[in-house]
């Protein structure tokens, strides 16, 4: 047989002729001359493993094969079935009556553009240089073509509400009522599938994945990834848009950081041909997610997997044919396995890059560090082995920095979450930490929450120009003073937390004394002993009801074992934020002593100190109330004020304890 080649074609050197079943049995009550060629193929084992390993069964629906099949059938006549794999290889099967001569014993070739199918679709060239995008990602866009998602708002709403009336053809026809271009046709199909087809977890976990007919998918509204891809391809072809199903490996449900891939492909997605170029979509992952704890599927639309930029798509999709990466240069399977996996939410929430760029991190001197760059200010949090402990996370204007100190030698799971524009933190990164050394000098308080140190967020919440911009404060004598500007109408609350139990919930604020100096708040802190402490800062709008909101905390460190500061005096509700206490600052007074008092109090008619007796305070020329009090014969001392000279009711504002004799 002479096979001619030219510059625009590829010769095929295989011809498969399939005779009817009757040929194998001389007798029988039924003739197979009109046998369904699809059923015949299924009896022979199906079109399994064509080309580069599309490892799934191809089945017929009605008179058409599911997949990339173009078919001609004539009753009582020769039937020809032509199939194309992902490489463009053509496999033709001829089914004819027993005594008929084969009509396909002739040369044939596959040109760059094939003849149209029954819907008038033409098959463009395989992906090449024109389709390739540069790797790594250039940060220009999450999409492979310029898109303004606002242009789809009306179409998306319409497509998501279309219901199935009869068959697939009518469904596609209804969807295209509001679509006026190939891009809009693809978009309408994508939106409908993502909002109506549920992921069939049981079917996905079967060892031998079954092929889903489009009619079955429409009836049950459930399928696996092969079904999603097959349905998407079928609907696109009905709509007159070129589409291919692409099998491969994925970092999806059940993926473990750093795992290797081999054997059967575990996923399938699509490539669509728009504006003279191939683009990638994954309607399975666009429709929702599977909860790893409950193994239940939840519809949760994900825009990321519609026309995804190939340099981002390759992070969790590795096709069987490297050409379908649409990348220059293409990545190897080993690179795919080792490269950092940024979840779709990483990009959805505005992240640009992360360091380290590998999923496995080894600690250095007991510490691992992760940084993330984002295109806008973003809130982050982390978990180490499921707990928000053993790390310092500080926010930056465009990203964050995280220092992690694993508490034990071994392997640890580090998860990083980002908030973005939503009210929900979503997982964006996962690392595996390998720690071979623990720094015992670094023991962070369990109550040290995130973030640490002031940032754009604290400024947004009304705290400005902090005296200590760095999150860690070292003190040699166990005392420190922190100040910052406070916007009008904002109240500040602070508390101190350690891990030894000496600081109880009742005394968390007694080691901090808060002073107001003009438009700045000062926090005087005295530590009860050496160690590490979390100084938490909360804010609240004075005119609004509700609780204080946590903003950030400092890490206070003191190595001086001689430190043993007492608590500050207890303050009551009438202690105004603009008041100032100069002395005594200690909350415990010596017994049988005359103790001087000096305070600045605003809007006060009279002030006094009450122990066993009462001592009035006088207002000096500098605006301070001064005086002294004897602690003899008493256990407690109070500072009291009279706000209205026409009344005789004094209010308690400060309380001191007196040491036992």
């Amino acid at each position: 047989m002479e096979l001619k080649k030219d510059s625009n074609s590829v010769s095929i050197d295989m011809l498969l002729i399939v005779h009817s079943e009757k040929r194998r049995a001389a007798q029988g009550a039924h003739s197979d001359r009109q046998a369904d060629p699809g059923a015949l193929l299924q009896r022979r084992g199906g079109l399994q493993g064509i080309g580069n390993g599309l490892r799934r069964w191809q089945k017929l629906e009605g008179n058409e094969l599911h997949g990339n099949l173009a078919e001609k059938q004539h009753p009582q006549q020769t039937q020809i079935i032509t199939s194309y794999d992902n490489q463009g290889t053509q496999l033709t099967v001829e089914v004819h009556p027993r005594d008929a001569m084969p009509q396909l014993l002739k040369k044939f070739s596959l040109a760059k553009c094939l003849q149209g199918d029954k819907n008038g679709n033409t098959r463009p060239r395989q992906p090449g240089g024109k389709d390739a995008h540069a790797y790594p990602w250039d940060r220009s866009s999450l999409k492979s073509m310029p898109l303004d998602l606002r242009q789809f708002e009306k179409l998306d709403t319409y497509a998501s509400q279309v219901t199935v009336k009869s068959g697939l053809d009518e469904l596609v026809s209804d969807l295209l009522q509001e679509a006026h271009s190939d891009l809009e046709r693809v978009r309408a199909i994508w939106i409908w599938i993502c909002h109506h087809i549920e992921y069939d977890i049981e079917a996905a976990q079967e060892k031998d994945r079954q092929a889903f007919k489009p009619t079955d998918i429409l009836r049950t509204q459930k399928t696996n990834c092969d079904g999603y891809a097959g349905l998407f391809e079928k609907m696109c072809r009905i709509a007159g848009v070129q589409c291919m199903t692409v099998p491969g490996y994925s970092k999806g449900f059940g993926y473990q950081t750093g795992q290797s891939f081999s054997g059967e492909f575990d996923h399938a997605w699509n490539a669509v041909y728009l504006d003279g170029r191939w683009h990638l979509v994954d309607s399975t992952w666009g429709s929702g997610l599977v909860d790893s704890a409950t193994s239940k599927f939840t519809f949760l639309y994900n825009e990321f997997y519609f026309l995804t930029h190939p340099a981002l798509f390759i992070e969790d999709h590795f096709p069987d044919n490297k050409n379908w990466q649409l990348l220059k240069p293409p990545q190897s399977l080993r690179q795919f396995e080792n490269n950092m996996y940024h979840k779709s939410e990483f990009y959805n929430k505005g992240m640009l890059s992360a360091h380290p760029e590998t999923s496995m991190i080894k600690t250095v001197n007991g510490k691992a560090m992760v940084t993330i760059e984002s295109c806008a200010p973003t809130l982050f949090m982390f978990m180490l082995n499921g707990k928000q402990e053993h790390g310092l996370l500080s926010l930056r204007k465009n990203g964050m920095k995280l220092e992690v100190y694993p508490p034990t030698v071994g392997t640890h799971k580090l998860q990083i979450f980002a908030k973005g524009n939503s009210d929900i933190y979503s997982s964006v990164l996962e690392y595996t930490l390998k720690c071979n050394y623990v720094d015992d000098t670094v023991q962070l308080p369990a109550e040290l929450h995130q973030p640490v140190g002031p940032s754009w967020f604290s400024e947004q919440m009304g705290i400005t120009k902090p005296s200590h911009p760095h999150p860690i404060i070292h003190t040699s004598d166990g005392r420190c003073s922190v100040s910052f500007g406070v916007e009008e109408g904002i109240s500040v609350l602070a508390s101190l937390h350690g891990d030894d139990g000496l600081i109880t919930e009742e005394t968390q604020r007694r080691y901090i004394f808060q002073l107001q100096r003009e438009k700045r708040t000062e926090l005087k802190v005295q530590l009860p002993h050496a160690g590490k402490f979390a100084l938490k800062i909360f804010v609240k709008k004075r005119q609004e009801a509700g609780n204080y909101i946590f903003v950030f905390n400092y890490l206070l460190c003191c190595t001086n074992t001689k430190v043993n500061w007492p608590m500050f005096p207890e303050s009551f509700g009438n202690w105004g934020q603009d008041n100032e206490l100069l002395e005594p600052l200690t909350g415990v007074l010596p017994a049988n002593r005359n103790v001087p008092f000096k305070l600045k109090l605003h809007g006060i008619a009279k002030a006094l100190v009450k122990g066993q007796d009462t001592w009035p305070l006088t207002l000096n020329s500098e605006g301070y109330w001064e005086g002294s009090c004897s602690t003899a014969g008493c256990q407690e001392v109070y500072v009291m004020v009279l706000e209205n000279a026409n009344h005789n009711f004094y209010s308690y504002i400060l309380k001191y304890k007196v040491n036992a004799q």
Side-chain angles (χ1 to χ4, degrees):
M1 180 167 56
E2 179 184 2
L3 299 179
K4 182 179 179 181
K5 296 184 179 181
D6 59 42
S7 60
N8 294 322
S9 65
V10 178
S11 295
I12 305 301
D13 59 3
M14 183 196 333
L15 174 65
L16 175 63
I17 301 176
V18 182
H19 294 279
S20 67
E21 290 282 5
K22 192 173 180 180
R23 179 87 176 245
R24 295 196 299 120
Q27 64 273 10
H30 300 88
S31 171
D32 278 348
R33 293 187 180 183
Q34 297 180 2
D36 182 345
L40 185 59
L41 285 171
Q42 292 173 33
R43 288 196 294 270
R44 295 284 190 259
L47 299 179
Q48 185 179 23
I50 295 177
N52 259 354
L54 183 55
R55 299 182 176 104
R56 57 193 177 99
W57 297 92
Q58 304 281 5
K59 293 188 178 181
L60 281 176
E61 178 183 27
N63 291 327
E64 294 182 357
L65 280 172
H66 177 65
N68 306 330
L69 302 181
E71 176 185 340
K72 299 178 181 179
Q73 297 189 20
H74 304 285
Q76 303 294 337
Q77 298 180 15
T78 298
Q79 301 171 12
I80 299 175
I81 306 169
T82 302
S83 175
Y84 314 109
D85 79 341
N86 286 336
Q87 299 299 310
T89 302
Q90 174 178 325
L91 172 64
T92 300
V93 178
E94 179 181 307
V95 181
H96 58 85
R98 174 181 177 183
D99 298 327
M101 287 294 294
Q103 300 298 314
L104 207 58
L105 293 175
K106 61 180 181 179
K107 62 184 179 180
F108 56 93
S109 64
L110 176 63
K112 289 186 176 179
C113 286
L114 298 169
Q115 296 297 319
D117 62 17
K118 73 171 188 176
N119 293 310
N121 298 324
T122 57
R123 187 182 187 85
R125 49 158 182 74
Q126 291 295 299
K130 183 179 179 181
D131 304 284
H133 295 252
Y135 185 88
W137 183 45
D138 59 8
R139 302 186 178 186
S140 59
S141 172
L142 300 183
K143 303 296 186 181
S144 55
M145 66 186 299
L147 287 183
D148 181 358
L149 295 179
R150 293 172 296 183
Q151 76 183 78
F152 296 131
E153 290 178 357
K154 181 180 178 181
L155 178 62
D156 289 356
T157 301
Y158 169 79
S160 65
Q161 296 173 353
V162 171
T163 57
V164 179
K165 297 176 182 177
S166 58
L168 196 61
D169 289 321
E170 184 177 2
L171 172 61
V172 174
S173 178
D174 289 343
L175 286 172
L176 300 189
Q177 293 301 312
E178 297 293 331
H180 308 293
S181 66
D182 281 355
L183 173 60
E184 290 185 350
R185 294 181 186 99
V186 170
R187 180 71 178 190
I189 294 168
W190 155 269
I191 287 293
W192 189 88
I193 292 178
C194 289
H195 287 80
H196 290 83
I197 305 303
E198 179 181 345
Y199 187 69
D200 192 333
I201 300 172
E202 292 183 0
Q205 293 175 341
E206 292 178 358
K207 185 175 182 181
D208 295 323
R209 301 209 309 272
Q210 61 175 307
F212 283 77
K213 295 181 180 180
T215 51
D216 292 337
I217 298 174
L218 294 187
R219 176 177 53 82
T220 63
Q221 303 275 285
K222 297 175 69 174
T223 188
N224 60 9
C225 58
D226 291 329
Y228 274 100
L231 179 63
F232 188 89
E233 177 182 336
K234 180 70 174 178
M235 294 176 73
C236 283
R237 288 186 174 274
I238 293 174
V241 178
Q242 296 295 333
C243 183
M244 296 280 286
T245 294
V246 182
Y249 296 123
S250 68
K251 296 179 180 179
F253 178 65
Y255 168 73
Q256 299 294 322
T257 302
Q259 80 173 59
S260 58
F261 294 87
S262 62
E264 296 287 324
F265 297 118
D266 61 7
H267 194 42
W269 54 95
N270 296 99
V272 290
Y273 196 75
L274 297 170
D275 294 343
R277 200 175 191 183
W278 285 105
H279 303 269
L280 302 170
V281 299
D282 187 342
S283 55
T284 308
W285 291 7
S287 63
L289 50 81
V290 177
D291 188 321
S292 58
T294 63
S295 293
K296 291 184 178 181
F297 174 81
T298 301
F299 278 107
L300 186 63
Y301 176 71
N302 192 342
E303 173 63 38
F304 180 76
Y305 291 105
F306 179 73
L307 307 186
T308 315
H309 194 292
L312 304 181
F313 205 76
I314 191 62
E315 292 198 14
D316 46 21
H317 293 73
F318 188 84
D320 67 328
N321 175 1
K322 67 179 181 180
N323 291 336
W324 285 115
Q325 295 181 25
L326 306 184
L327 288 177
K328 185 174 60 178
Q331 300 294 288
S332 67
L333 180 59
R334 179 62 60 85
Q335 288 174 307
F336 173 74
E337 293 171 343
N338 294 336
N339 284 349
M340 185 62 207
Y341 169 38
H342 304 95
K343 299 185 178 182
S344 62
E345 285 299 282
F346 181 89
Y347 298 106
N348 285 339
K349 292 186 178 295
M351 309 298 106
L352 296 173
S353 64
H355 185 83
E357 296 179 346
T358 57
S359 57
M360 190 76 67
I361 305 177
K362 292 184 179 180
T363 60
V364 177
N365 296 325
K367 180 179 79 171
M369 187 166 70
V370 175
T371 59
I372 292 180
E373 181 184 357
S374 60
C375 59
T378 305
L379 290 174
F380 295 89
M381 61 172 284
F382 78 94
M383 282 189 177
L384 184 66
N385 301 325
K387 295 183 179 180
Q388 299 182 48
E389 299 178 359
H390 310 294
L392 299 173
L393 188 152
S394 55
L395 299 176
R396 296 176 174 178
K397 186 175 181 180
N398 290 306
M400 71 89 175
K401 181 179 77 170
L402 171 63
E403 297 177 2
V404 182
Y405 302 87
T408 59
V409 172
T411 301
H412 304 267
K413 181 179 180 179
L414 174 64
Q415 297 170 284
I416 299 176
F417 304 81
K419 194 171 185 180
N421 295 325
S422 68
D423 293 330
I424 301 174
Y425 281 92
S426 301
S427 176
V428 295
L429 282 180
E430 285 189 12
Y431 287 98
T432 298
L433 300 188
K434 289 194 173 181
C435 178
N436 54 15
Y437 168 78
V438 175
D439 188 348
D440 293 328
T441 64
V442 182
Q443 294 183 356
L444 303 177
E447 288 292 327
L448 186 72
H449 290 170
Q450 308 154 44
V452 293
S455 66
W456 62 266
F457 178 65
S458 55
E459 185 172 347
Q460 179 178 296
M461 299 299 290
I463 295 178
T464 62
K465 300 179 180 178
S467 60
H468 294 71
H470 194 270
I472 302 177
I473 299 176
H474 295 274
T475 170
S476 58
D477 64 356
R479 296 184 296 180
C480 68
S481 175
V482 178
S483 65
F484 37 76
V486 179
E487 291 183 359
E488 188 71 26
I490 298 294
S491 296
V492 177
L493 185 69
S495 59
L496 189 70
H497 304 260
D499 281 341
D500 54 14
L502 294 178
I503 301 180
T504 64
E505 185 174 350
E506 181 181 351
T507 62
Q508 286 171 356
R509 298 186 59 218
R510 294 289 304 282
Y511 289 96
I512 306 168
F513 200 82
Q514 186 169 324
L515 303 172
Q516 193 75 22
R517 301 180 185 275
E518 296 181 350
K519 292 185 178 181
R520 290 187 69 81
T521 292
E522 181 182 1
L523 303 176
K524 291 183 178 292
V525 183
Q526 295 180 166
L527 302 180
H529 53 76
K532 292 183 175 66
F533 300 84
L535 175 61
K536 293 187 176 182
I537 312 296
F538 303 82
V539 301
K540 175 181 173 297
K541 290 185 178 180
R542 296 177 187 173
Q543 303 301 323
E544 294 184 1
N547 299 323
Y548 280 81
I549 300 173
F550 171 74
V551 180
F552 72 97
N553 42 209
Y554 285 106
L555 175 63
L556 307 185
C557 303
C558 178
T559 58
N560 187 350
T561 57
K562 296 181 180 180
V563 166
N564 185 22
W565 290 104
M567 294 180 289
F568 287 103
E570 182 179 356
S571 60
F572 297 100
N574 287 338
W575 174 263
Q577 283 201 350
D578 294 335
N579 293 343
E580 182 180 349
L581 175 65
L582 272 67
E583 58 179 346
L585 288 174
T586 176
V588 181
L589 304 178
N592 301 317
R593 298 281 184 88
N594 282 326
V595 179
F597 282 77
K598 187 175 182 180
L599 310 88
K600 178 171 283 189
L601 307 171
H602 298 276
I604 299 302
K606 293 183 180 180
L608 58 83
V609 179
K610 185 181 183 302
Q612 187 171 5
D613 297 313
T614 299
W615 287 267
L617 300 179
T618 59
L619 185 63
N620 65 19
S621 59
E622 297 177 350
Y624 289 94
W625 293 86
E626 291 183 301
S628 62
C629 164
S630 173
T631 59
C634 61
Q635 296 179 338
E636 295 174 339
V637 172
Y638 295 89
V639 177
M640 308 173 67
V641 297
L642 181 67
E643 297 180 5
N644 191 330
N646 297 323
H647 297 138
N648 294 321
F649 180 76
Y650 280 80
S651 301
Y652 293 95
I653 60 172
L654 294 176
K655 175 184 176 181
Y656 294 84
K657 289 188 175 182
V658 178
N659 267 331
Q661 299 183 8

